[in-house]
Structures are given as C-alpha cells and as structure tokens.
Amino acid sequence: MLCVNLQQYSRPCTSVSGGISQLFVFDPSDFNFSQSYTGDAVNQASSYSAVALNANATAAGGAKFYNIKFQFKEAERKWKQTVKGCSVKYEHEVDCTLPQLSNDLTDFLKSLDSAGCCCGLGLIIQHNDGKIFVMGEKFVNGNQIPFFQVQMDGSDGTSGKLFDDENAAHVVFKGDYSRELYEFTGGINAILAFT
Amino acid sequence: MNIRVKKEYETVVVGFNNCGLPLGQRSDLDVLARIAHQSGNQVMLNYFEEVPTPDALEAKKVDDFLKKTEK
C-alpha cells in the first residue's frame, strides 16, 4: 500500500438476478443526495444513503422521480470502462422498451430531448436483485459534483408490419463519467416518496 | 435521547432508512443524524434543533440493540 489503497472484493453469497425492476427519470437540479463515508481508508463505503429536494424545488413545481413504465423484462443497464493513459472513461447506457407509438410517447420523448439538451437527465435504476443505482446526479452533500450529463441518445421505434409485430419505442439513455454508478442504500420507499 | 428537528423543517421530506415521511413524523431521526455526520452534509445538519454528537448516537445505537436483545 505504499503507492495506492486497494480494497478486497467478495462476491455476494446469495443468488443474483439480472434485469431492471423499476426506472425513474428526474431533473438532476432538483435533488440532493447524501453520501456517507464509512469504514476506514482501506475499506471505504461510499454509497448514497439519503435524498432530499434542493431549496426551491417542490413536488408541486414538478420536482419528482417520474416512473418510466417499460415493457416487462425489456430494460437493461450496461457500462463499459476504457482508459487512455491515466484517463478513465465509463460509458453508461440504459435501454428500455416502451410499447405503442402514441402522442403520449411523443410528448414524453420531447421532454427527454429538451432536458437532455439543457440540464441533463437523472435516472434511478432499481435492478431485479433489489439494488438501486443513481445516474446523472448533480448535487451530493449539498455540493455540485462534476457534470454527469445523461441524454436520450440512439433511441428508435417501429410500428411493425403485421398484427403481431412489435409496436414500440426503444429508448436509450447514455452518459459518460469517470466511475461506475453509486448505489442508493436508503431503500426504495425513500425513492417512492418523491414520485 | 430526544432528537428533534426545527419547526420549519417538520414538513420537509427526506428519503432515508427506506421511508419518505416528513421529518416531523419520523421516529428514526437518529439515523438521519448519523448520515448527516458521516456525509458532513451541512444542509442536513441544519435540520436539527440540537445536533447529537457521534458519540451520543453511537451510545443510542448500543442501547437500542440491547433493548432489542432483551425482548
């Protein structure tokens, strides 16, 4: 440890499931996450354990976690790490399928496009194994963190041709950052309070 | 230990400990105080009328655990 502090990693001694259970989108400017530092210098935990609205953000004014009700079993979170020299990049991606092309879908996509252009999007992703991850957050412990811009990028849609063809949009969120996502350990009910 | 939030923050919602009730209705403010200390979050520390010290919070944690084991 003369040069760097490494940590051990133990796989969980439980079964692990794949897939996404719930997905929420939010305005990163509205929410402040609390990141606790526990453990020692060698084994440091740094998850988010609480979330609150920022000053002047109100639920009545639209500061909420908005549920994206995707087609069952059709959402996935992926990331890829690369490094050039010492510069590390994590390419994050969340995909989900939203059935039926409609005006509601058009309005929803327009809102994502607008938000992605000016302020970025935040995502809360609950995996089927219960873990909750935060993507695109802006405020941590009351401070603004380096910009983690997430946008809708690469989405597509189809009406299909036949009656039993797929009629859906495949919505894709992308964002590059310097690390994997932090987990929110405050529980799903803490998230649902802001829906 | 009686942990209370300031009157003006009683209706504020903070999601933690798998719950999102307003602070005035929470019975687990010791958990929030511990999070506030561990994160150094000044906004959160400001919610409390009197911020309990980390030692007092640790003592409460031990007391609560002992009470549970006595049952």
Side-chain angles (χ1 to χ4, degrees):
Chain A
M1 306 297 266
L2 294 177
C3 178
V4 65
N5 283 335
L6 294 173
Q7 290 188 188
Q8 67 169 23
Y9 177 76
S10 304
R11 65 172 176 80
C13 285
T14 58
S15 59
V16 177
S17 302
I20 304 292
S21 174
Q22 294 189 86
L23 194 55
F24 303 88
V25 66
F26 65 95
D27 179 348
S29 298
D30 288 340
F31 289 93
N32 179 23
F33 293 86
S34 276
Q35 185 176 33
S36 301
Y37 294 96
T38 54
D40 52 32
V42 179
N43 289 302
Q44 207 172 62
S46 53
S47 62
Y48 296 145
S49 47
V51 61
L53 288 174
N54 274 325
N56 300 326
T58 61
K64 292 181 181 180
F65 293 132
Y66 292 92
N67 196 352
I68 303 175
K69 291 185 179 166
F70 55 84
Q71 191 168 316
F72 185 50
K73 294 182 180 175
E74 292 294 341
E76 184 179 16
R77 178 170 87 85
K78 296 180 278 192
W79 57 266
K80 183 182 180 184
Q81 182 267 3
T82 54
V83 62
K84 277 185 196 167
C86 293
S87 300
V88 175
K89 179 172 76 170
Y90 281 74
E91 294 172 51
H92 296 281
E93 185 177 318
V94 173
D95 311 338
C96 62
T97 298
L98 307 180
Q100 195 175 51
L101 307 186
S102 68
N103 199 71
D104 285 350
L105 181 68
T106 303
D107 289 340
F108 174 67
L109 297 176
K110 274 169 64 184
S111 72
L112 296 181
D113 280 330
S114 303
C117 176
C118 54
C119 351
L121 293 161
L123 290 175
I124 301 285
I125 308 138
Q126 185 190 33
H127 291 194
N128 280 332
D129 66 1
K131 299 282 187 191
I132 302 165
F133 290 89
V134 183
M135 180 171 164
E137 69 276 27
K138 188 173 183 183
F139 290 96
V140 176
N141 295 338
N143 301 312
Q144 196 167 337
I145 63 170
F147 199 28
F148 184 174
Q149 184 166 20
V150 173
Q151 289 178 297
M152 181 169 71
D153 180 4
S155 297
D156 63 54
T158 177
S159 67
K161 292 177 183 172
L162 305 175
F163 274 99
D164 55 356
D165 277 351
E166 184 185 51
N167 168 5
H170 306 115
V171 174
V172 182
F173 300 98
K174 288 179 184 172
D176 294 347
Y177 210 53
S178 54
R179 57 163 169 77
E180 219 304 61
L181 304 185
Y182 282 131
E183 191 182 336
F184 180 78
T185 54
I188 192 64
N189 287 334
I191 297 296
L192 294 177
F194 294 99
T195 57
Chain B
M1 184 195 297
N2 188 15
I3 307 173
R4 288 213 302 241
V5 294
K6 293 172 186 164
K7 193 93 181 157
E8 62 266 36
Y9 294 115
E10 284 181 350
T11 56
V12 167
V13 172
V14 180
F16 68 97
N17 205 21
N18 204 26
C19 181
L21 285 174
L23 293 180
Q25 297 175 39
R26 302 292 294 253
S27 57
D28 53 357
L29 290 174
D30 55 313
V31 177
L32 184 64
R34 200 171 292 118
I35 291 170
H37 273 300
Q38 287 170 348
S39 62
N41 190 330
Q42 292 301 319
V43 178
M44 219 172 249
L45 288 167
N46 191 43
Y47 290 151
F48 298 93
E49 271 188 356
E50 194 178 328
V51 187
T53 64
D55 286 345
L57 288 167
E58 207 52 40
K60 185 180 183 324
K61 198 174 174 183
V62 172
D63 281 351
D64 289 348
F65 178 75
L66 289 174
K67 276 178 197 161
K68 268 186 197 166
T69 55
E70 282 168 8
K71 283 179 187 171

